[in-house]
Structures are given as structure tokens and as C-alpha cells.
């Protein structure tokens, strides 16, 4: 195998699994460990990987996401499936934070027929969707948190949003992520990440709603530590890296793979 192909495999494996083990790569590619070390040295020199004992980890992170419209159309049916499941999971909660994002936007079936539920969000799309669906239901209140408006991403952000979130205490916060590793969840935008962090801090429970492709990926801003997550809901399309799955089980975090 040519060096370019080996390095492509090493880089993709590192970003998928969160690490690359020299002995594993050597066995998989049928080359010597010294050859893999040389390839890692090249990738490290390019700023793509960071060498660690026995292997390497990714150091490049996502500085941006695709456009909102592109993300909204990606894995749409899968996201809707997750959204329905989450709605059933939180139907008995009376106060719910829903973070902005195309994944959390699919959570629309909130609340039940007997109790009043308050949905608090900084997402214009979520507020509009749930507001229209529940227009005739006096038991559902939708609170859109005001602040600076990001027209491209359809959410509010900034100090005013942070201040308003701190006035509430929710039963649960439903958040998403661009990347998930054994240390927690990450997103690409600090503006968005700070809002989710505040929602987490103001909630009794945290549900991480994320498609399986995000496990093992890295992003620029860590908005949630693994210890803050109570429940993870994801799909079975991609295998969760063993290191992350072991941490989830060790931390006794509930995980539903649907």
C-alpha cells in the first residue's frame, strides 16, 4: 500500500475512533509498526494528529458546520425518528429546554393531555413548529428566549439569552452535538455552546440527542462534560467507538440506540 493511502486510512481512523493505535494499524495494513510511526510523524508535522503513547489522536477540529439548510436536509428521516422517541421520553416533564439545532428541531410531540408543559428554547424554528402544532392546546406554553438573532442559524444568542436562561429551572434539557468523545459533547460555535451549557446548568436532567456519525468526531467548543449527561439517544447506523461506549457504561449513563 502506498504511503498516501496508508496516511488516509490512519487519519480517517483517528477521526472516526478518536485515536489510532500503531499496533492495530500495522496489523490492519500489513506493514511494520515503524512504517506506521513514520506515517504518524508526517501527519503530526502537518498538524492533523498529535502523537501519544502507542499511537495518535486528532488535533484538527471543526471550526464551522455546513449551512443550516444542508444540515436540515441531512439524515432527515433518522432525525425525525429520534425526535419522536425523545418526545415520548420527556412527555411527563413539565418544563423542558430545547436547544437550537436541526436535530433537536425534530422534537415536536412534547407534553401530554393532562399536565401543562412549558417549552423554553432559543430556536425560532422550534418555537414556530411547536407553537403551530399546539395552537389550540392551552396546556402547552412555548417561551422563545430573546437576544441577538442569528438569521443563518435561526436562533438567538448572547448575554441576554444567558441571563434569561438563568431565571429558569427545567426538568430536562435536550441538547445536541457536532462531536462526542469519552470526555463529553462538543459543538462548532461558542455562541451556541454557551447557550447549551447554561441550559444544562439550569436543568435537573440532560438528554444528548445525537446521530451516531458524531461519535468520535471533534469540534471546537466543549459544551457538556460526560458527567453531566443522564441519557443519550442515538441511532444504529454507525458503530460507537469502544472507548466511548465503555465510558458511557462506566458512568451509568442511559443510552438508547434506536
Amino acid at each position: 500500500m502506498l504511503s498516501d493511502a496508508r496516511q488516509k486510512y490512519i487519519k480517517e481512523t483517528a477521526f472516526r475512533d478518536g485515536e489510532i493505535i500503531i499496533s492495530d494499524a500495522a496489523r490492519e495494513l500489513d506493514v511494520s509498526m515503524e512504517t506506521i510511526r513514520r506515517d504518524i510523524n508526517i501527519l503530526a508535522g502537518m498538524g492533523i494528529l498529535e502523537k501519544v503513547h502507542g499511537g495518535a489522536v486528532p488535533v484538527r477540529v471543526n471550526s464551522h458546520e455546513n449551512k443550516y439548510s444542508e444540515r436540515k436536509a441531512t439524515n432527515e428521516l433518522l432525525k425525525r425518528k429520534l425526535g419522536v422517541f425523545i418526545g415520548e421520553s420527556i412527555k411527563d416533564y413539565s418544563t423542558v429546554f430545547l436547544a437550537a439545532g436541526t436535530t433537536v428541531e425534530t422534537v415536536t410531540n412534547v407534553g401530554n393531555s393532562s399536565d401543562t408543559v412549558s417549552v423554553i428554547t432559543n430556536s425560532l424554528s422550534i418555537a414556530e413548529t411547536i407553537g403551530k402544532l399546539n395552537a389550540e392546546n392551552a396546556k402547552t406554553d412555548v417561551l422563545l428566549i430573546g437576544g441577538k438573532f442569528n438569521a443563518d442559524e435561526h436562533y438567538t444568542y448572547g448575554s441576554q439569552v444567558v441571563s434569561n436562561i438563568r431565571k429558569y429551572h427545567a426538568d430536562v434539557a435536550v441538547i445536541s452535538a457536532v462531536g462526542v468523545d469519552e470526555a463529553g459533547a462538543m459543538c462548532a460555535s461558542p455562541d451556541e455552546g454557551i447557550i447549551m451549557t447554561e441550559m444544562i446548568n439550569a436543568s435537573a436532567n440532560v438528554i444528548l440527542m445525537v446521530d451516531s456519525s458524531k461519535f468520535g468526531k471533534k469540534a471546537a467548543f466543549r459544551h457538556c462534560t460526560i458527567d453531566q449527561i443522564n441519557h443519550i439517544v442515538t441511532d444504529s447506523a454507525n458503530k460507537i467507538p469502544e472507548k466511548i461506549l465503555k465510558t458511557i457504561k462506566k458512568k451509568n449513563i442511559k443510552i438508547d440506540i434506536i
Side-chain angles (χ1 to χ4, degrees):
M1 180 180 288
L2 297 176
S3 59
D4 286 349
R6 288 197 311 270
Q7 290 163 22
K8 182 176 183 290
Y9 170 86
I10 291 168
K11 180 176 67 175
E12 290 178 349
T13 301
F15 275 84
R16 185 192 68 218
D17 297 341
E19 63 180 351
I20 182 76
I21 305 300
I22 291 173
S23 57
D24 291 347
R27 182 169 57 254
E28 181 67 26
L29 299 178
D30 195 24
V31 296
S32 70
M33 292 175 60
E34 189 57 34
T35 296
I36 299 299
R37 287 192 183 94
R38 285 197 298 268
D39 288 331
I40 287 176
N41 285 338
I42 292 171
L43 292 169
M46 296 167 62
I48 296 173
L49 298 182
E50 176 185 355
K51 292 188 291 183
V52 297
H53 181 70
V57 296
V59 295
R60 279 191 174 175
V61 298
N62 296 327
S63 60
H64 67 280
E65 294 184 89
N66 294 333
K67 291 181 179 180
Y68 174 88
S69 59
E70 295 173 353
R71 300 199 315 273
K72 190 173 180 65
T74 302
N75 296 328
E76 186 175 5
L77 293 178
L78 185 152
K79 290 176 182 177
R80 291 188 181 280
K81 185 178 179 180
L82 296 180
V84 170
F85 186 91
I86 292 285
E88 289 297 314
S89 300
I90 65 175
K91 67 180 181 180
D92 293 325
Y93 290 125
S94 59
T95 308
V96 178
F97 278 126
L98 293 181
T102 59
T103 302
V104 180
E105 281 178 17
T106 62
V107 181
T108 58
N109 56 325
V110 296
N112 55 52
S113 59
S114 59
D115 298 314
T116 300
V117 60
S118 294
V119 175
I120 308 168
T121 185
N122 67 316
S123 166
L124 181 62
S125 299
I126 290 173
E128 285 183 327
T129 300
I130 295 180
K132 288 177 181 178
L133 289 174
N134 296 278
E136 298 180 1
N137 183 2
K139 290 184 176 295
T140 302
D141 295 323
V142 180
L143 294 86
L144 177 62
I145 306 171
K148 294 180 180 179
F149 182 59
N150 185 320
D152 292 331
E153 295 295 329
H154 301 258
Y155 65 67
T156 58
Y157 69 99
S159 59
Q160 186 175 349
V161 179
V162 170
S163 177
N164 283 327
I165 290 173
R166 290 174 179 174
K167 296 176 183 178
Y168 295 98
H169 180 75
D171 297 308
V172 64
V174 181
I175 64 168
S176 60
V178 171
V180 182
D181 62 11
E182 65 276 8
M186 295 158 280
C187 65
S189 165
D191 288 332
E192 185 181 8
I194 289 168
I195 300 304
M196 285 194 281
T197 296
E198 292 296 333
M199 288 181 174
I200 291 165
N201 292 338
S203 300
N205 299 280
V206 175
I207 298 176
L208 176 62
M209 177 185 182
V210 61
D211 74 73
S212 58
S213 69
K214 303 300 191 294
F215 288 95
K217 289 187 176 180
K218 302 290 182 179
F221 186 90
R222 188 176 298 283
H223 60 283
C224 180
T225 67
I226 196 72
D227 292 315
Q228 292 175 303
I229 301 170
N230 303 103
H231 187 184
I232 296 173
V233 178
T234 188
D235 61 89
S236 59
N238 299 278
K239 184 179 179 181
I240 300 174
E242 190 63 28
K243 188 175 182 179
I244 299 175
L245 194 58
K246 284 181 178 179
T247 301
I248 291 170
K249 292 178 179 178
K250 181 180 179 180
K251 298 289 183 179
N252 292 319
I253 299 169
K254 181 180 180 182
I255 181 168
D256 283 301
I257 302 175
I258 61 173

